[in-house]
């Protein structure tokens, strides 16, 4: 080899080595690329698997920072990714509550420190989502600094189902405990047998019945409450019920608490759980049935001894009992009654025997009588049979749905009553045609007989007399017709003395209508007193009329004088006290009042003022009528005077819903008058116009000075007053719409006050157009 070829050979060798190395490097690179691609695909699959997995992995590092996918933030309801555990708290409707977060941090620190695993539930704030956290130490190769790996599971459905099952379990346990307590506290002996028919459980009543110490002793010793019957014990009867699969009942005698009692024993099969049993004490029921049977037999014996017919029907409307008088009244045979016929058949047989009233539509009549079974109240009716027999029929429903019929033969009583009625009518006709008024009073003071003239003389109605009132009850009614009601006691004494002393008495009675009666009381042989009245009015009419009139006038003058003398003191003194105390209450002297109390106090004050005004009206009217009312005229500004009057009546008009209008343009100037009396007159007129007007009505007060005359007009657009009533109202004899006489006196007083000024009082009213009152006062 030449010197020139050596470098070339070296270069060729190097190129060959480089080529081989490059080839190897390319092959290794391709192998690593394929491995990396495979790893990348595996990593993508693992990432996708984690994204779709039901668990959410979270790594908590030692410094508190966490690594978690974005979907973990969505799971916690957070808007942004979390970087530490503390980011899970502090949110109102997302993340974890403070208590849950603190507990989770404690568990994580404990796991990082000791490597101890944990499982705990969490709740997402602001939602009903429930999480289950499984914590453990992370792989040291991946996280060598003691990081904790947390797996968050969405366990909402599982926890809900668990809570539901837990709640159902608690309810079932509570129901079972309640049922067990109920069975234990039941007053009836109760027990349970296993499928082998051995006692498994007994309650306290069972233990007390067999005289054992407790239920354990009864179960261990197999103490049976029910004694063997026909060589069969209680267990064999229970086995038969279990085998048949049906509840079995029987009544046996047993010793309970040392006493022999009749028991109804019930065995209830429970399938594979065995047989339950209970015993009901029916001894009292059996005794009651025996007593009822004995009572029914005694009752039937008693009913057979009665004169009235009695028939009893059961709930199925069949005849269960009929006494001997019933068979005799309706001509029934024992053989037919023994068949226990139905109620409808009994009525049919009564009709066949001619023992029913004649009716046009017998089927409808019978259907109405069948309704007796459906009513709850007793009823009564009378049957008049074709042979003249009178039957009083009483129906008495019984609680069990049956019916008792009682038939009382009242033929003889009806005949006696008819004869008595004839005698009474004859006597009444005789008494009513007598010239004297007659009444008979019994020894106990009750009026027993009277004629028509007696009732007419005393103005007594039949409704009062038919009640046969006592004399002391009748005297107040008679006193109303006497001229001097106090003298009625004299008539009462006449009757009492005649009844007691058996002596004839005489007296006179003066009636308020002017009649004079001669009264006599005569003792009768039966102990009663005959009271007679003879009218003597024709002979004494003129004399008595004059005396009565004179006495009436004197009495009226005396009453009027006493009334006027006592009115001021008797009425004003208590009225002043009422008003004063009401004002004190309103002023708060007795303490603060609530709204309701203030309303009551205002009502008292208003009523007191109103009554005082009415009293003043009566007094002023009386004084004016007697010419004793003083008049003190002064010069008055007419427009201001009328405005003040209208202003005082404005609240009353507003209360009544009436509009009060003034028209005083022509009333400007002064005029001599008594402001108190004329104000009182105009005020009374306004009061009447407002008080008796409709709610939406209008009242006009008009004033005008025309020369030497003052004209005041009060008019309304109300319903008006009839002509026949108008004069009575002005004269003080009419009544207001509220029925008060004092309101009528207001207009009469106004008329007198105007006339005492020398003026004229005119009142004009037309029905449907309203009423106008015109006052014309001359200048003095």
């Amino acid at each position: 080899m030449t010197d020139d070829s050596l470098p070339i050979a070296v270069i060729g060798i190097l190129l060959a080595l480089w080529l081989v190395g490059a080839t190897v490097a390319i092959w290794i690179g391709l192998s690593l690329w394929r491995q990396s691609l495979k790893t990348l695909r595996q990593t993508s699959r693992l990432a996708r698997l984690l994204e779709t997995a039901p668990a959410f992995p979270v790594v908590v590092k030692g410094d508190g920072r966490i690594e978690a996918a974005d979907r973990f933030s969505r799971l916690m309801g957070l808007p942004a990714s979390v970087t530490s555990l503390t980011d899970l708290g502090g949110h109102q409707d997302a993340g974890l509550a403070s208590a849950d977060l603190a507990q989770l941090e404690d568990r994580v620190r404990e796991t990082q420190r000791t490597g101890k695993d944990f499982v705990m539930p969490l709740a997402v704030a602001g939602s009903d989502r429930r999480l289950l956290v499984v914590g453990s130490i992370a792989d040291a190769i991946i996280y060598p600094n003691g990081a904790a790996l947390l797996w968050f599971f969405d366990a909402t459905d599982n926890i809900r189902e668990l809570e539901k099952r837990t709640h159902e379990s608690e309810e079932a346990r509570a129901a079972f405990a309640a049922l067990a307590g109920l069975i234990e506290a039941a007053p009836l002996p109760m027990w349970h047998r296993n499928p082998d028919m051995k006692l498994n459980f007994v309650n306290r009543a069972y233990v007390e019945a067999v005289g054992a110490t407790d239920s354990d002793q009864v179960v261990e010793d197999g103490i049976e409450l029910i004694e063997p019957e026909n060589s069969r014990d209680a267990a064999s009867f229970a086995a038969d019920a279990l085998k048949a699969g049906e509840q079995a009942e029987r009544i046996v005698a047993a010793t309970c608490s040392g006493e022999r009692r009749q028991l109804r024993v019930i065995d209830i099969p429970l399938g594979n759980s065995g047989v339950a049993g209970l015993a009901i004490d029916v001894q009292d029921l059996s005794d009651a049935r025996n007593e009822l049977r004995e009572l029914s037999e005694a009752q039937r014996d008693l009913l057979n001894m009665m004169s009235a017919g009695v028939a009893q029907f059961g709930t199925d409307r069949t005849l269960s009992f009929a006494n001997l008088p019933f068979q005799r009244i309706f001509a029934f045979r024992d053989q037919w009654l023994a068949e226990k016929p139905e109620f409808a058949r009994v009525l049919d047989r009564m009709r066949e025997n001619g023992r029913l009233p004649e009716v046009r539509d017998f089927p409808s009549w019978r259907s109405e009588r069948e309704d007796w079974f459906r009513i709850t109240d007793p009823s009564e009716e009378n049957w008049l049979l074709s042979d003249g027999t009178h039957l009083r029929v009483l129906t008495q429903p019984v609680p069990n749905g049956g019916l008792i019929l009682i038939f009382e033969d009242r033929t003889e009583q009806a005949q006696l009553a008819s004869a008595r009625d004839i005698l009474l009518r004859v006597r009444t006709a005789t008494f009513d045609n007598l010239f004297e008024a007659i009444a008979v009073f019994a020894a106990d003071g009750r009026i027993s007989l009277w004629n028509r003239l007696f009732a007419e003389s005393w103005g007594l109605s039949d409704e009062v007399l038919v009640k046969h009132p006592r004399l002391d009850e009748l005297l107040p009614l008679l006193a109303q017709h006497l001229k001097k009601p106090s003298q009625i006691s004299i008539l009462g004494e006449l009757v009492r003395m005649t009844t007691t002393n058996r002596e004839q008495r005489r007296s006179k009675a003066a009636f308020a209508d002017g009649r004079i009666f001669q009264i006599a009381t005569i003792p009768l042989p039966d102990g009663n007193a005959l009271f007679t009245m003879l009218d003597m009015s024709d002979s004494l009419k003129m004399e008595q009329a004059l005396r009565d009139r004179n006495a009436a006038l004197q009495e009226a003058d005396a009453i009027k004088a006493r009334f006027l003398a006592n009115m001021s003191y008797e009425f004003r003194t208590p009225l002043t006290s009422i008003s004063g105390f009401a004002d004190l209450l309103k002023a708060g002297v007795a303490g603060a009042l609530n709204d309701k109390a203030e309303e009551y106090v205002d009502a008292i004050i208003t009523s007191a003022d109103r009554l005082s005004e009415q009293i003043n009206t009566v007094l002023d009217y009386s004084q004016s009528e007697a010419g004793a009312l003083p008049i003190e005229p002064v010069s008055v500004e007419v427009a201001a005077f009328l405005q003040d009057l209208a202003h005082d009546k404005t609240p009353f008009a507003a209360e009544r819903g009436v509009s009060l209008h003034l028209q005083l343009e022509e009333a400007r100037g002064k005029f001599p008058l008594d402001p108190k009396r004329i104000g009182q007159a105009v005020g009374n007129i306004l009061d009447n116009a407002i008080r008796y007007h409709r709610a939406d009505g209008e009242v006009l007060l008009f004033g005008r000075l025309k020369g030497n005359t003052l004209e005041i007009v009060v008019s309304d657009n109300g319903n008006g007053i009839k002509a026949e009533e108008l004069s009575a109202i002005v004269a003080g004899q009419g009544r207001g719409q509220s029925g008060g006489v004092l309101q009528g006196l207001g207009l009469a007083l106004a008329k007198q006050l105007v006339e005492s000024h020398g003026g004229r009082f005119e009142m004009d009213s037309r029905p449907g157009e309203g009423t106008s009152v015109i006052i014309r006062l001359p200048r003095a």
Side-chain angles (χ1 to χ4, degrees):
M1 179 180 300
T2 63
D3 293 337
D4 294 333
S5 61
L6 181 60
I8 295 172
V10 172
I11 291 172
I13 293 171
L14 292 173
L15 290 172
L17 291 174
W18 180 83
L19 181 60
V20 171
T23 302
V24 171
I26 290 172
W27 180 81
I28 292 173
L30 290 175
S31 297
L32 291 176
W33 177 78
R34 284 193 297 270
Q35 185 177 0
S36 298
L37 186 62
K38 180 180 180 181
T39 301
L40 182 61
R41 285 197 298 269
Q42 290 178 349
T43 300
S44 299
R45 286 196 297 271
L46 289 175
R48 182 60 181 168
L49 183 61
L50 288 177
E51 286 290 336
T52 59
F56 297 80
V58 177
V59 176
V60 183
K61 298 180 180 180
D63 56 0
R65 291 183 297 105
I66 66 174
E67 292 182 3
D70 291 340
R71 69 191 189 107
F72 175 70
S73 300
R74 294 193 297 271
L75 174 67
M76 302 303 294
L78 299 175
S81 300
V82 296
T83 58
S84 64
L85 284 179
T86 56
D87 293 342
L88 299 178
H91 304 280
Q92 184 176 1
D93 296 326
L96 300 177
S98 301
D100 289 347
L101 179 59
Q103 186 178 5
L104 178 62
E105 290 176 340
D106 293 341
R107 292 291 187 90
V108 169
R109 284 193 293 269
E110 183 180 0
T111 299
Q112 290 174 340
R113 185 176 63 256
T114 63
K116 182 179 179 181
D117 298 343
F118 69 89
V119 178
M120 66 176 293
L122 295 174
V124 177
S127 68
D128 57 354
R129 180 174 294 174
R130 300 291 185 272
L131 304 178
L132 185 66
V133 181
V134 178
S136 61
I137 196 70
D139 191 347
I141 298 176
I142 302 175
Y143 296 98
N145 295 326
L149 177 60
L150 306 181
W151 291 91
F152 286 79
F153 295 89
D154 189 350
T156 302
D157 294 338
N158 294 336
I159 291 178
R160 285 181 181 173
E161 185 67 22
L162 179 61
E163 291 176 350
K164 179 180 178 182
R165 298 303 179 189
T166 302
H167 180 67
E168 292 176 352
S169 175
E170 291 176 352
E171 288 184 344
R173 189 178 296 106
F176 179 78
L179 180 61
L182 178 62
I183 295 175
E184 181 66 18
L188 307 176
M190 305 178 72
W191 62 88
H192 175 259
R193 299 179 185 275
N194 289 324
D196 59 0
M197 296 300 111
K198 292 183 179 180
L199 289 174
N200 177 49
F201 166 78
V202 296
N203 67 347
R204 185 173 62 241
Y206 189 105
V207 174
E208 294 175 354
V210 300
T213 57
D214 54 31
S215 59
D216 294 336
Q217 179 189 0
V218 174
V219 173
E220 291 176 1
D221 298 344
I223 302 175
E224 294 286 351
L225 172 65
I226 309 303
E227 301 170 0
E229 181 181 0
N230 297 329
S231 301
R232 298 184 61 189
D233 57 5
S236 63
F237 284 100
D240 292 344
L242 180 61
K243 182 178 180 181
E246 296 179 354
Q247 176 178 307
E249 296 185 11
R250 66 187 190 280
I251 296 180
V252 298
T255 302
C256 296
S257 301
E259 297 182 4
R260 295 294 292 178
R261 310 290 293 179
Q262 289 285 333
L263 302 179
R264 175 181 283 113
V265 180
I266 303 174
D267 290 316
I268 306 171
L270 303 178
N272 297 330
S273 299
V275 180
L278 59 96
I280 303 175
D281 189 342
V282 295
Q283 184 65 47
D284 295 337
L285 178 60
S286 178
D287 295 342
R289 285 177 177 173
N290 294 333
E291 293 178 1
L292 179 61
R293 182 169 57 254
E294 295 174 357
L295 179 61
S296 299
E297 293 175 355
Q299 183 183 21
R300 293 186 177 186
D301 294 339
L302 176 62
L303 292 177
N304 282 325
M305 298 174 63
M306 294 177 57
S307 60
V310 179
Q312 184 173 357
F313 295 86
T315 56
D316 56 355
R317 300 191 178 185
T318 59
L319 182 66
S320 59
F321 171 76
N323 67 349
L324 296 177
F326 176 82
Q327 301 178 35
R328 182 178 64 255
I329 292 173
F330 295 101
F332 287 148
R333 296 182 179 180
D334 293 340
Q335 296 83 352
W336 187 78
L337 294 177
E339 298 177 2
K340 296 184 176 181
E342 294 183 352
F343 179 74
R345 288 186 57 199
V346 173
L347 293 180
D348 292 339
R349 182 59 62 93
M350 288 180 178
R351 186 187 185 198
E352 294 173 2
N353 295 343
R355 309 305 293 170
L356 283 183
E358 294 294 336
V359 294
R360 291 185 177 180
D361 189 354
F362 176 73
S364 299
W365 184 88
R366 180 180 58 191
S367 176
E368 292 175 358
R369 301 308 174 275
E370 290 177 346
D371 291 339
W372 285 342
F373 287 89
R374 289 187 284 270
I375 63 177
T376 58
D377 297 327
S379 61
E380 176 182 345
E381 65 182 30
N382 295 310
W383 290 2
L384 178 59
L385 307 186
S386 57
D387 60 354
T389 301
H390 291 260
L391 293 180
R392 178 171 175 251
V393 184
L394 302 176
T395 65
Q396 177 62 58
V398 294
N400 62 358
L403 181 68
I404 296 178
L405 296 181
I406 301 176
F407 299 88
E408 182 182 0
D409 189 348
R410 306 194 65 178
T411 304
E412 184 177 354
Q413 291 91 325
Q415 293 173 350
L416 292 176
S418 177
R420 177 177 177 273
D421 290 341
I422 294 175
L423 292 176
L424 289 177
R425 286 196 294 271
V426 171
R427 186 185 63 184
T428 301
T430 302
F431 282 3
D432 286 343
N433 287 279
L434 292 176
F435 185 71
E436 294 177 307
I438 295 176
V440 177
F441 289 90
D444 60 355
R446 291 187 178 276
I447 185 171
S448 57
L449 297 174
W450 63 91
N451 66 351
R452 175 179 51 80
L453 190 56
F454 176 83
E456 293 176 354
S457 299
W458 292 105
L460 299 175
S461 63
D462 293 339
E463 290 78 5
V464 174
L465 293 174
V466 294
K467 297 178 182 178
H468 299 280
R470 297 177 61 88
L471 180 61
D472 53 358
E473 298 173 350
L474 202 57
L475 290 179
L477 301 178
L478 303 183
Q480 301 175 6
H481 299 275
L482 292 180
K483 175 182 173 182
K484 295 183 179 181
S486 60
Q487 293 182 351
I488 193 63
S489 59
I490 299 177
L491 299 182
E493 288 300 321
L494 289 177
V495 176
R496 294 189 185 97
M497 292 176 65
T498 300
T499 305
T500 304
N501 301 332
R502 314 301 298 164
E503 296 178 359
Q504 183 174 346
R505 299 286 180 177
R506 292 183 180 273
S507 182
K508 291 183 180 180
F511 275 42
D513 58 3
R515 292 179 295 169
I516 305 297
F517 285 89
Q518 180 70 43
I519 295 177
T521 56
I522 305 170
L524 297 178
D526 58 358
N528 297 338
L530 176 64
F531 181 90
T532 65
M533 298 173 53
L534 181 61
D535 191 351
M536 300 176 62
S537 302
D538 293 339
S539 60
L540 302 175
K541 184 175 182 181
M542 293 302 298
E543 178 184 358
Q544 191 62 39
L546 293 174
R547 290 179 180 179
D548 289 344
R549 182 172 180 82
N550 184 49
L553 290 174
Q554 292 178 355
E555 183 67 14
D557 289 338
I559 292 174
K560 181 177 180 180
R562 290 195 299 270
F563 177 80
L564 294 177
N566 295 330
M567 171 68 79
S568 178
Y569 177 77
E570 295 293 337
F571 280 5
R572 290 180 182 275
T573 300
L575 187 60
T576 303
S577 300
I578 293 173
S579 299
F581 285 122
D583 290 333
L584 291 176
L585 288 175
K586 185 173 183 180
V589 174
L593 302 177
N594 55 35
D595 295 341
K596 199 65 177 180
E598 288 185 356
E599 181 181 350
Y600 291 156
V601 170
D602 291 339
I604 293 172
I605 294 173
T606 302
S607 299
D609 293 342
R610 180 61 182 162
L611 182 57
S612 178
E613 185 181 58
Q614 298 293 351
I615 293 172
N616 291 335
T617 299
V618 173
L619 291 175
D620 291 343
Y621 179 76
S622 300
Q623 290 180 333
S624 176
E625 194 176 40
L629 190 66
I631 302 297
E632 300 177 10
V634 295
S635 182
V636 174
E637 181 64 43
V638 177
F641 169 71
L642 295 179
Q643 284 179 350
D644 293 339
L645 289 177
H647 182 268
D648 294 338
K649 302 302 179 182
T650 300
F652 180 51
E655 177 184 350
R656 302 289 295 183
V658 175
S659 299
L660 180 58
H661 303 285
L662 299 179
Q663 189 173 343
L664 306 176
E665 293 80 6
E666 300 179 53
R668 304 190 182 279
K670 293 185 178 183
F671 195 86
L673 53 82
D674 188 336
K676 178 181 178 181
R677 301 309 177 187
I678 297 301
Q680 187 176 4
V682 177
N684 288 342
I685 297 170
L686 286 173
D687 277 343
N688 279 271
I690 295 171
R691 179 174 290 105
Y692 304 125
H693 209 346
R694 61 177 182 272
D696 58 344
E698 296 180 349
V699 174
L700 173 65
L701 176 58
F702 171 81
R704 177 170 58 188
L705 278 172
K706 186 177 181 182
N708 293 326
T709 303
L710 171 60
E711 184 175 290
I712 301 174
V713 180
V714 177
S715 62
D716 61 53
N717 60 346
N719 296 326
I721 304 173
K722 296 179 180 179
E724 56 269 23
E725 298 176 357
L726 193 61
S727 58
I729 292 176
V730 175
Q733 301 173 357
R735 291 178 177 265
Q737 294 177 3
S738 61
V741 176
L742 297 179
Q743 285 87 339
L745 290 180
L747 290 178
L749 176 60
K751 182 175 182 294
Q752 289 189 1
L753 292 175
V754 171
E755 291 176 349
S756 65
H757 281 71
R760 287 188 300 169
F761 180 94
E762 299 175 5
M763 189 171 181
D764 181 37
S765 181
R766 293 180 179 83
E769 297 182 6
T771 303
S772 297
V773 177
I774 303 172
I775 297 174
R776 292 186 175 90
L777 298 176
R779 186 182 298 272

